[in-house]
Amino acid sequence: NAGVTQTPKFQVLKTGQSMTLQCAQDMNHEYMSWYRQDPGMGLRLIHYSVGAGITDQGEVPNGYNVSRSTTEDFPLRLLSAAPSQTSVYFCASSTRTGRAGGYTFGSGTRLTVV
Amino acid sequence: ELKVEQNPLFLSMQEGKNYTIYCNYSTTSDRLYWYRQDPGKSLESLFVLLSNGAVKQEGRLMASLDTKARLSTLHITAAVHDLSATYFCAVDLYNNNDMRFGAGTRLTVKP
C-alpha cells in the first residue's frame, strides 16, 4: 500500500516550458487535490476533484490545468511555467468527506522555474 | 472570503512547559483538521474535528473545536523536543472538500 505517490520529487523548468506533475493513490479515495506551499503562506488549494471526471478550481487555479480520468490518478499540468510558480507542490487524497482520518499527502514536488 | 488565522506563527518553548496554538476561521464549517510538518517533509494528519465541542487527544497534544466561536485550539502539555515542527490547521470551506490552511505555527522546543 503506497498511499499517495508524487513524481518527480524535484524539477527545474525554464520560463515558458510546460510539464505535468504526476499524482497517484492506491487507497480508492474519491477526493484528490493539489496544493502549493510557499514560505509563510501555508498551503493553498490549486484544484480538486471529488471523483473521476469531476474537477473544480480552488483558491489559486490560474496557470494550472487538471483532469481526472481515473480514480487513481490526478495529474497537474503547468501550461507555461513562470517564476511565480516556483513552489513545493503537494497532492492529497481522502475519502469523499475526509471524515475517516483526514487527508493523506504525497511527499511533494519541489519545482523551480528559472 | 474565508480567512484562517493561526497564532502565534512562531513559538519557542522550554521542555516541560504547556502552551496553546489558536486557529480562527471566518466562515461556516464544522470540519477542522490539524497537521504536522517536519522540515522538508510532507504533512501528517494529527486530528480531525467534525462537530462543535469535539475534543481529541493524542499523547501530549489535545485539539478542540468551537464552531460557534469559529475557533480551534491545539494544546501542548509538557512539551518535549520531538514536538518541534510546524503545525497547520485547515478548514473545509462550506464542508465541501475545499480545504483552506492557516499559515502554520513553527514550534521549537528547547531542552
Side-chain angles (χ1 to χ4, degrees):
Chain A
N1 190 339
V4 178
T5 302
Q6 287 185 238
T7 56
K9 294 192 182 303
F10 301 94
Q11 183 70 50
V12 178
L13 287 180
K14 294 182 178 179
T15 298
Q17 286 184 316
S18 62
M19 79 159 294
T20 300
L21 279 62
Q22 302 291 343
C23 176
Q25 53 90 11
D26 61 0
M27 298 172 285
N28 202 31
H29 282 172
E30 300 95 332
Y31 176 80
M32 297 185 74
S33 57
W34 277 101
Y35 294 86
R36 60 177 289 173
Q37 184 175 30
D38 301 297
M41 299 187 73
L43 279 77
R44 291 182 292 169
L45 181 64
I46 304 172
H47 286 285
Y48 65 100
S49 169
V50 297
I54 305 170
T55 63
D56 209 343
Q57 296 182 350
E59 190 179 0
V60 287
N62 293 339
Y64 307 95
N65 211 351
V66 292
S67 60
R68 184 96 179 268
S69 57
T70 66
T71 300
E72 295 78 19
D73 299 299
F74 191 44
L76 178 72
R77 297 182 186 84
L78 279 69
L79 308 173
S80 177
S84 61
Q85 293 178 305
T86 293
S87 188
V88 180
Y89 291 83
F90 288 100
C91 179
S93 75
S94 79
T95 57
R96 189 178 184 93
T97 60
R99 291 174 185 269
Y103 293 74
T104 301
F105 282 81
S107 58
T109 295
R110 188 174 296 271
L111 176 67
T112 302
V113 182
V114 297
Chain B
E1 179 188 351
L2 173 66
K3 291 184 179 179
V4 182
E5 296 181 336
Q6 283 183 241
N7 70 83
L9 298 182
F10 298 92
L11 177 56
S12 181
M13 300 175 61
Q14 292 281 329
E15 278 192 332
K17 299 293 187 182
N18 305 330
Y19 207 83
T20 300
I21 299 170
Y22 297 89
C23 176
N24 291 89
Y25 56 98
S26 61
T27 193
T28 302
S29 177
D30 60 6
R31 293 188 217 171
L32 190 132
Y33 305 85
W34 284 97
Y35 291 90
R36 168 181 172 144
Q37 186 179 38
D38 292 301
K41 303 293 185 182
S42 187
L43 281 80
E44 173 191 357
S45 179
L46 294 175
F47 300 108
V48 180
L49 304 169
L50 298 177
S51 62
N52 185 42
V55 177
K56 290 196 174 180
Q57 182 164 4
E58 180 72 32
R60 300 175 187 274
L61 301 178
M62 183 174 70
S64 66
L65 177 61
D66 181 343
T67 59
K68 294 179 181 178
R70 298 179 180 173
L71 170 69
S72 180
T73 61
L74 180 66
H75 185 73
I76 302 157
T77 302
V80 293
H81 178 70
D82 285 352
L83 290 179
S84 296
T86 299
Y87 293 85
F88 292 95
C89 66
V91 175
D92 193 335
L93 184 63
Y94 305 123
N95 298 328
N96 194 33
N97 288 309
D98 183 347
M99 195 160 64
R100 305 295 175 97
F101 280 77
T105 297
R106 184 177 295 180
L107 172 65
T108 303
V109 181
K110 298 181 177 179

Coordinates of all heavy atoms in Angstrom, one line a residue, chain A residues 33-109:
Chain A
S33 N -6.6 16.3 -4.5 CA -6.4 17.7 -4.6 C -4.9 18.1 -4.8 O -4.1 17.2 -4.5 CB -6.9 18.4 -3.3 OG -6.3 17.9 -2.2
W34 N -4.7 19.2 -5.3 CA -3.3 19.8 -5.4 C -3.2 21.1 -4.6 O -4.1 21.9 -4.7 CB -3.0 20.1 -6.9 CG -2.6 18.9 -7.6 CD1 -3.3 18.1 -8.5 CD2 -1.2 18.3 -7.6 NE1 -2.5 17.1 -9.0 CE2 -1.3 17.2 -8.5 CE3 0.0 18.6 -7.0 CZ2 -0.1 16.4 -8.7 CZ3 1.1 17.8 -7.2 CH2 1.0 16.7 -8.1
Y35 N -2.1 21.2 -3.9 CA -1.7 22.4 -3.2 C -0.3 22.8 -3.5 O 0.5 22.1 -3.9 CB -1.7 22.1 -1.6 CG -3.1 21.8 -1.1 CD1 -3.5 20.5 -1.1 CD2 -3.9 22.7 -0.5 CE1 -4.8 20.1 -0.6 CE2 -5.1 22.4 0.0 CZ -5.6 21.1 0.0 OH -6.8 20.8 0.5
R36 N -0.1 24.1 -3.4 CA 1.2 24.6 -3.4 C 1.6 25.2 -2.1 O 0.7 25.8 -1.4 CB 1.4 25.7 -4.5 CG 0.5 26.9 -4.5 CD 0.9 27.9 -5.6 NE 2.2 28.5 -5.4 CZ 2.7 29.3 -6.3 NH1 2.2 29.5 -7.5 NH2 3.9 29.8 -6.1
Q37 N 2.8 25.1 -1.7 CA 3.3 25.6 -0.4 C 4.4 26.6 -0.6 O 5.4 26.2 -1.2 CB 3.7 24.5 0.5 CG 4.1 25.0 1.9 CD 4.5 23.9 2.9 OE1 5.0 22.9 2.5 NE2 4.2 24.2 4.2
D38 N 4.1 27.8 -0.2 CA 5.1 28.9 -0.3 C 5.5 29.3 1.1 O 4.6 29.3 2.0 CB 4.6 30.0 -1.1 CG 4.2 29.6 -2.5 OD1 5.1 29.2 -3.3 OD2 3.0 29.7 -2.9
P39 N 6.7 29.8 1.3 CA 7.1 30.2 2.7 C 6.2 31.2 3.3 O 5.9 32.2 2.6 CB 8.5 30.8 2.4 CG 9.0 30.1 1.2 CD 7.8 29.9 0.3
G40 N 5.8 31.0 4.5 CA 5.0 31.9 5.3 C 3.5 32.0 4.8 O 2.8 32.8 5.3
M41 N 3.1 31.1 3.9 CA 1.7 31.3 3.4 C 0.9 30.0 3.6 O -0.2 29.9 3.0 CB 1.7 31.6 1.9 CG 2.4 33.0 1.6 SD 2.2 33.5 -0.1 CE 0.5 33.9 -0.1
G42 N 1.5 29.0 4.3 CA 0.7 27.8 4.4 C 0.6 27.1 3.1 O 1.3 27.3 2.1
L43 N -0.5 26.3 2.9 CA -0.8 25.6 1.7 C -2.0 26.3 1.0 O -2.9 26.6 1.7 CB -1.1 24.1 1.9 CG 0.1 23.2 2.1 CD1 0.7 23.3 3.5 CD2 -0.3 21.8 1.9
R44 N -1.9 26.4 -0.3 CA -3.1 27.0 -1.0 C -3.6 26.0 -2.0 O -2.8 25.4 -2.8 CB -2.7 28.3 -1.6 CG -2.4 29.4 -0.6 CD -2.0 30.7 -1.4 NE -0.7 30.6 -2.0 CZ -0.3 31.5 -2.9 NH1 -1.1 32.6 -3.2 NH2 0.9 31.4 -3.4
L45 N -4.9 25.8 -2.0 CA -5.5 24.8 -2.9 C -5.5 25.3 -4.3 O -6.0 26.4 -4.6 CB -6.9 24.6 -2.4 CG -7.8 23.6 -3.2 CD1 -7.2 22.2 -3.0 CD2 -9.2 23.6 -2.6
I46 N -5.1 24.5 -5.3 CA -5.0 24.8 -6.7 C -6.2 24.3 -7.4 O -7.0 25.1 -8.0 CB -3.7 24.3 -7.3 CG1 -2.5 24.8 -6.6 CG2 -3.7 24.7 -8.8 CD1 -1.2 24.1 -7.1
H47 N -6.4 23.0 -7.4 CA -7.6 22.3 -8.0 C -7.9 21.1 -7.1 O -7.0 20.6 -6.5 CB -7.3 21.9 -9.4 CG -7.2 22.9 -10.4 ND1 -8.3 23.5 -11.0 CD2 -6.2 23.5 -11.1 CE1 -8.0 24.4 -11.9 NE2 -6.7 24.4 -12.0
Y48 N -9.1 20.7 -7.2 CA -9.5 19.5 -6.5 C -10.5 18.7 -7.4 O -11.1 19.2 -8.3 CB -10.0 19.7 -5.1 CG -11.3 20.5 -5.0 CD1 -12.5 19.9 -4.8 CD2 -11.3 21.9 -5.1 CE1 -13.7 20.6 -4.7 CE2 -12.5 22.6 -5.0 CZ -13.7 22.0 -4.8 OH -14.9 22.7 -4.7
S49 N -10.7 17.4 -7.0 CA -11.6 16.6 -7.7 C -12.3 15.7 -6.7 O -11.7 15.1 -5.8 CB -10.8 15.7 -8.7 OG -11.7 14.6 -9.2
V50 N -13.6 15.5 -6.8 CA -14.4 14.7 -5.9 C -14.7 13.3 -6.5 O -15.4 12.5 -5.9 CB -15.7 15.4 -5.5 CG1 -15.4 16.7 -4.7 CG2 -16.6 15.7 -6.6
G51 N -14.2 13.1 -7.7 CA -14.4 11.8 -8.3 C -13.9 11.8 -9.8 O -13.7 12.9 -10.3
A52 N -13.8 10.7 -10.4 CA -13.4 10.6 -11.8 C -14.3 11.4 -12.7 O -15.5 11.3 -12.5 CB -13.4 9.2 -12.3
G53 N -13.7 12.3 -13.5 CA -14.5 13.1 -14.4 C -15.0 14.4 -13.9 O -15.6 15.2 -14.6
I54 N -14.7 14.7 -12.6 CA -15.2 15.9 -11.9 C -14.0 16.6 -11.3 O -13.2 16.1 -10.5 CB -16.1 15.5 -10.8 CG1 -17.3 14.7 -11.3 CG2 -16.7 16.8 -10.1 CD1 -18.1 14.1 -10.2
T55 N -13.8 17.9 -11.8 CA -12.7 18.7 -11.2 C -13.3 20.1 -10.9 O -14.3 20.5 -11.5 CB -11.5 18.9 -12.1 OG1 -11.9 19.5 -13.3 CG2 -10.9 17.5 -12.4
D56 N -12.6 20.8 -10.0 CA -13.1 22.2 -9.7 C -11.9 23.0 -9.3 O -10.8 22.4 -8.9 CB -14.1 22.1 -8.6 CG -15.1 23.3 -8.6 OD1 -14.8 24.3 -9.4 OD2 -16.1 23.3 -8.0
Q57 N -12.1 24.3 -9.3 CA -11.0 25.2 -9.0 C -10.9 25.5 -7.5 O -11.9 25.6 -6.9 CB -11.1 26.5 -9.8 CG -11.1 26.4 -11.3 CD -11.2 27.7 -12.0 OE1 -11.5 28.7 -11.3 NE2 -11.0 27.8 -13.3
G58 N -9.7 25.6 -7.0 CA -9.5 26.0 -5.7 C -9.2 27.5 -5.6 O -9.7 28.3 -6.3
E59 N -8.3 27.8 -4.7 CA -8.0 29.2 -4.4 C -7.1 29.9 -5.4 O -7.3 31.1 -5.7 CB -7.3 29.3 -3.0 CG -7.1 30.6 -2.4 CD -6.5 30.5 -1.0 OE1 -6.2 29.4 -0.5 OE2 -6.3 31.5 -0.4
V60 N -6.2 29.1 -6.0 CA -5.2 29.7 -6.9 C -5.0 28.9 -8.2 O -4.0 28.3 -8.4 CB -3.8 29.9 -6.2 CG1 -3.8 31.0 -5.2 CG2 -3.4 28.6 -5.5
P61 N -6.0 28.8 -9.0 CA -6.0 27.9 -10.1 C -5.3 28.4 -11.4 O -5.0 27.6 -12.3 CB -7.5 27.7 -10.4 CG -8.1 29.0 -10.1 CD -7.3 29.5 -8.9
N62 N -5.1 29.7 -11.5 CA -4.6 30.2 -12.7 C -3.2 29.7 -13.1 O -2.3 29.7 -12.3 CB -4.5 31.8 -12.6 CG -5.9 32.4 -12.6 OD1 -6.9 31.7 -13.0 ND2 -6.0 33.6 -12.1
G63 N -3.0 29.3 -14.4 CA -1.8 28.7 -14.8 C -1.6 27.2 -14.7 O -0.6 26.7 -15.1
Y64 N -2.7 26.6 -14.1 CA -2.6 25.2 -13.9 C -3.9 24.5 -14.5 O -5.0 25.1 -14.5 CB -2.6 24.9 -12.4 CG -1.5 25.5 -11.6 CD1 -1.8 26.7 -11.0 CD2 -0.3 25.0 -11.5 CE1 -0.8 27.3 -10.2 CE2 0.7 25.6 -10.8 CZ 0.5 26.8 -10.1 OH 1.4 27.4 -9.4
N65 N -3.7 23.3 -14.9 CA -4.8 22.5 -15.5 C -4.8 21.1 -14.9 O -3.7 20.6 -14.6 CB -4.6 22.4 -17.0 CG -5.9 22.3 -17.7 OD1 -7.0 22.2 -17.1 ND2 -5.9 22.4 -19.1
V66 N -6.0 20.5 -14.7 CA -6.1 19.2 -14.2 C -7.1 18.4 -14.9 O -8.0 19.0 -15.6 CB -6.4 19.2 -12.7 CG1 -5.3 19.7 -11.8 CG2 -7.8 19.9 -12.4
S67 N -7.0 17.1 -14.8 CA -8.0 16.2 -15.3 C -8.1 15.0 -14.4 O -7.1 14.7 -13.7 CB -7.8 15.8 -16.8 OG -6.5 15.1 -16.8
R68 N -9.2 14.3 -14.4 CA -9.3 13.1 -13.5 C -10.0 12.0 -14.3 O -11.3 11.9 -14.3 CB -10.1 13.5 -12.3 CG -10.2 12.3 -11.3 CD -9.2 12.4 -10.2 NE -9.3 11.3 -9.3 CZ -10.0 11.3 -8.1 NH1 -10.7 12.4 -7.8 NH2 -10.0 10.3 -7.3
S69 N -9.2 11.3 -15.1 CA -9.8 10.2 -15.9 C -10.0 8.9 -15.2 O -10.9 8.1 -15.6 CB -9.0 10.0 -17.2 OG -7.7 9.7 -16.8
T70 N -9.3 8.7 -14.1 CA -9.4 7.5 -13.3 C -9.5 7.9 -11.8 O -9.1 9.0 -11.5 CB -8.3 6.5 -13.5 OG1 -7.1 7.2 -13.0 CG2 -8.0 6.2 -15.0
T71 N -10.0 7.0 -11.0 CA -10.0 7.3 -9.6 C -8.6 7.5 -9.0 O -8.3 8.2 -8.1 CB -10.7 6.2 -8.8 OG1 -12.0 6.1 -9.3 CG2 -10.7 6.4 -7.3
E72 N -7.6 6.7 -9.6 CA -6.3 6.7 -9.0 C -5.4 7.9 -9.3 O -4.5 8.2 -8.6 CB -5.5 5.4 -9.5 CG -6.2 4.1 -9.1 CD -7.4 3.7 -9.9 OE1 -7.6 4.2 -11.0 OE2 -8.2 2.9 -9.3
D73 N -5.6 8.5 -10.5 CA -4.6 9.5 -11.0 C -5.2 10.9 -11.1 O -6.3 11.1 -11.5 CB -4.1 9.1 -12.4 CG -3.4 7.7 -12.3 OD1 -2.4 7.6 -11.6 OD2 -3.9 6.8 -13.0
F74 N -4.3 11.9 -10.7 CA -4.8 13.3 -10.8 C -3.6 14.1 -11.1 O -3.0 14.8 -10.3 CB -5.4 13.7 -9.4 CG -6.1 15.0 -9.4 CD1 -7.0 15.3 -10.4 CD2 -5.9 15.9 -8.4 CE1 -7.7 16.5 -10.4 CE2 -6.6 17.1 -8.3 CZ -7.5 17.4 -9.3
P75 N -3.2 14.2 -12.4 CA -2.1 15.0 -12.8 C -2.4 16.5 -12.8 O -3.5 16.9 -13.1 CB -1.8 14.4 -14.3 CG -3.1 14.0 -14.7 CD -3.9 13.4 -13.5
L76 N -1.3 17.2 -12.6 CA -1.4 18.7 -12.6 C -0.5 19.2 -13.7 O 0.7 18.9 -13.7 CB -0.9 19.3 -11.2 CG -0.8 20.8 -11.1 CD1 -2.3 21.4 -11.1 CD2 0.0 21.2 -9.9
R77 N -1.0 20.0 -14.6 CA -0.3 20.5 -15.7 C 0.0 21.9 -15.6 O -0.9 22.7 -15.3 CB -1.0 20.2 -17.0 CG -1.3 18.8 -17.4 CD -2.0 18.6 -18.7 NE -2.4 17.2 -18.9 CZ -3.4 16.6 -18.3 NH1 -4.3 17.3 -17.6 NH2 -3.7 15.3 -18.6
L78 N 1.3 22.3 -15.8 CA 1.7 23.7 -15.9 C 1.7 24.0 -17.3 O 2.5 23.4 -18.1 CB 3.0 23.9 -15.2 CG 3.0 24.1 -13.7 CD1 2.7 22.8 -13.0 CD2 4.4 24.6 -13.2
L79 N 0.9 25.0 -17.8 CA 0.8 25.2 -19.2 C 2.0 26.0 -19.8 O 2.4 25.7 -20.8 CB -0.5 26.0 -19.4 CG -1.8 25.3 -18.7 CD1 -3.0 26.2 -18.8 CD2 -2.0 24.0 -19.3
S80 N 2.4 27.0 -19.1 CA 3.5 27.8 -19.5 C 4.2 28.4 -18.2 O 3.8 29.4 -17.6 CB 3.1 29.0 -20.4 OG 4.2 29.8 -20.7
A81 N 5.2 27.7 -17.8 CA 5.8 27.9 -16.4 C 6.3 29.4 -16.3 O 6.9 29.9 -17.2 CB 6.9 26.9 -16.2
A82 N 6.1 29.9 -15.1 CA 6.5 31.2 -14.7 C 7.3 31.2 -13.4 O 7.0 30.3 -12.6 CB 5.3 32.2 -14.6
P83 N 8.2 32.1 -13.2 CA 9.0 32.1 -11.9 C 8.1 32.1 -10.7 O 8.4 31.5 -9.7 CB 9.8 33.3 -12.0 CG 10.1 33.5 -13.5 CD 8.8 33.1 -14.1
S84 N 6.9 32.7 -10.8 CA 5.9 32.8 -9.7 C 5.4 31.4 -9.3 O 4.8 31.2 -8.3 CB 4.8 33.7 -10.0 OG 4.1 33.2 -11.2
Q85 N 5.6 30.4 -10.2 CA 5.1 29.1 -9.9 C 6.2 28.2 -9.2 O 6.0 27.0 -8.9 CB 4.7 28.4 -11.2 CG 3.4 29.0 -11.8 CD 3.0 28.4 -13.0 OE1 3.7 28.3 -14.0 NE2 1.7 28.0 -13.1
T86 N 7.3 28.8 -8.9 CA 8.3 28.2 -8.1 C 7.7 27.9 -6.7 O 7.3 28.9 -6.0 CB 9.6 29.0 -8.0 OG1 10.2 29.1 -9.2 CG2 10.6 28.4 -7.0
S87 N 7.7 26.7 -6.3 CA 7.0 26.3 -5.1 C 7.2 24.8 -4.8 O 7.8 24.1 -5.6 CB 5.5 26.6 -5.2 OG 4.8 26.5 -4.0
V88 N 6.7 24.4 -3.7 CA 6.6 23.0 -3.4 C 5.1 22.6 -3.6 O 4.2 23.2 -3.0 CB 7.1 22.6 -2.0 CG1 6.9 21.1 -1.7 CG2 8.5 23.1 -1.8
Y89 N 4.9 21.5 -4.4 CA 3.5 21.1 -4.7 C 3.2 19.8 -4.0 O 4.0 18.8 -4.0 CB 3.4 20.9 -6.2 CG 3.5 22.2 -7.0 CD1 4.7 22.8 -7.3 CD2 2.3 22.9 -7.3 CE1 4.8 24.0 -7.9 CE2 2.4 24.1 -7.9 CZ 3.6 24.7 -8.3 OH 3.6 25.9 -8.9
F90 N 2.1 19.8 -3.4 CA 1.6 18.6 -2.7 C 0.3 18.1 -3.3 O -0.6 18.9 -3.5 CB 1.4 18.8 -1.2 CG 2.7 19.0 -0.4 CD1 3.2 20.2 -0.1 CD2 3.4 17.9 0.0 CE1 4.4 20.4 0.6 CE2 4.6 18.0 0.7 CZ 5.1 19.3 1.0
C91 N 0.2 16.8 -3.4 CA -1.0 16.2 -3.8 C -1.6 15.5 -2.5 O -0.8 15.0 -1.7 CB -0.8 15.1 -4.9 SG -2.2 14.2 -5.4
A92 N -2.9 15.5 -2.4 CA -3.5 14.9 -1.2 C -4.8 14.1 -1.7 O -5.4 14.5 -2.7 CB -3.9 15.9 -0.2
S93 N -5.1 13.1 -0.9 CA -6.4 12.4 -1.2 C -7.1 12.0 0.1 O -6.5 12.0 1.2 CB -6.0 11.1 -2.0 OG -5.5 10.1 -1.1
S94 N -8.4 11.8 0.0 CA -9.2 11.3 1.1 C -10.4 10.6 0.7 O -10.8 10.7 -0.5 CB -9.5 12.5 2.0 OG -10.6 13.2 1.4
T95 N -11.1 10.0 1.6 CA -12.5 9.6 1.3 C -13.3 10.8 1.0 O -12.8 12.0 1.3 CB -13.1 8.9 2.5 OG1 -13.0 9.8 3.6 CG2 -12.3 7.6 2.9
R96 N -14.4 10.7 0.5 CA -15.2 11.8 -0.1 C -15.4 12.9 0.9 O -15.3 14.1 0.6 CB -16.5 11.4 -0.6 CG -17.2 12.4 -1.4 CD -18.5 12.0 -1.9 NE -19.2 13.0 -2.8 CZ -19.0 13.1 -4.1 NH1 -18.3 12.3 -4.7 NH2 -19.6 14.1 -4.7
T97 N -15.6 12.6 2.2 CA -15.8 13.6 3.2 C -14.6 13.9 4.1 O -14.7 14.7 4.9 CB -17.0 13.2 4.1 OG1 -16.7 12.0 4.7 CG2 -18.3 13.0 3.2
G98 N -13.6 13.1 3.9 CA -12.4 13.3 4.7 C -12.6 13.0 6.2 O -11.7 13.3 7.0
R99 N -13.7 12.3 6.5 CA -14.0 12.1 7.9 C -13.2 11.0 8.5 O -13.0 11.0 9.7 CB -15.5 11.7 8.0 CG -16.4 12.9 7.7 CD -17.9 12.6 7.7 NE -18.7 13.7 7.3 CZ -19.2 14.6 8.1 NH1 -19.0 14.4 9.4 NH2 -19.9 15.6 7.7
A100 N -12.7 10.1 7.7 CA -12.1 8.9 8.3 C -10.8 9.2 9.1 O -10.7 8.8 10.2 CB -11.8 7.9 7.2
G101 N -10.0 10.0 8.5 CA -8.7 10.2 9.1 C -8.0 11.4 8.6 O -6.8 11.5 8.6
G102 N -8.7 12.3 8.0 CA -8.1 13.5 7.4 C -7.6 13.1 6.0 O -8.0 12.1 5.4
Y103 N -6.7 13.9 5.5 CA -6.2 13.8 4.1 C -4.8 13.2 4.2 O -4.0 13.5 5.1 CB -6.2 15.1 3.5 CG -7.6 15.7 3.2 CD1 -8.3 16.2 4.3 CD2 -8.1 15.7 2.0 CE1 -9.6 16.7 4.1 CE2 -9.4 16.3 1.7 CZ -10.1 16.8 2.8 OH -11.4 17.3 2.6
T104 N -4.5 12.3 3.2 CA -3.2 11.8 3.1 C -2.4 12.5 2.0 O -2.9 12.7 0.9 CB -3.3 10.3 2.6 OG1 -4.0 9.6 3.6 CG2 -1.9 9.7 2.5
F105 N -1.3 13.0 2.4 CA -0.5 13.8 1.5 C 0.7 13.0 0.9 O 1.2 12.1 1.5 CB 0.1 15.0 2.2 CG -0.9 16.1 2.4 CD1 -1.8 16.1 3.5 CD2 -0.9 17.2 1.6 CE1 -2.7 17.1 3.7 CE2 -1.8 18.3 1.8 CZ -2.7 18.2 2.9
G106 N 1.0 13.4 -0.4 CA 2.2 12.8 -1.0 C 3.4 13.5 -0.5 O 3.3 14.4 0.4
S107 N 4.6 13.1 -0.9 CA 5.9 13.6 -0.4 C 6.3 14.9 -1.0 O 7.2 15.5 -0.5 CB 7.0 12.6 -0.6 OG 7.1 12.3 -2.0
G108 N 5.6 15.4 -2.0 CA 5.8 16.7 -2.5 C 6.7 16.7 -3.8 O 7.5 15.8 -4.0
T109 N 6.6 17.7 -4.6 CA 7.4 18.0 -5.7 C 8.0 19.4 -5.6 O 7.2 20.4 -5.5 CB 6.7 17.9 -7.1 OG1 6.2 16.6 -7.3 CG2 7.6 18.3 -8.2

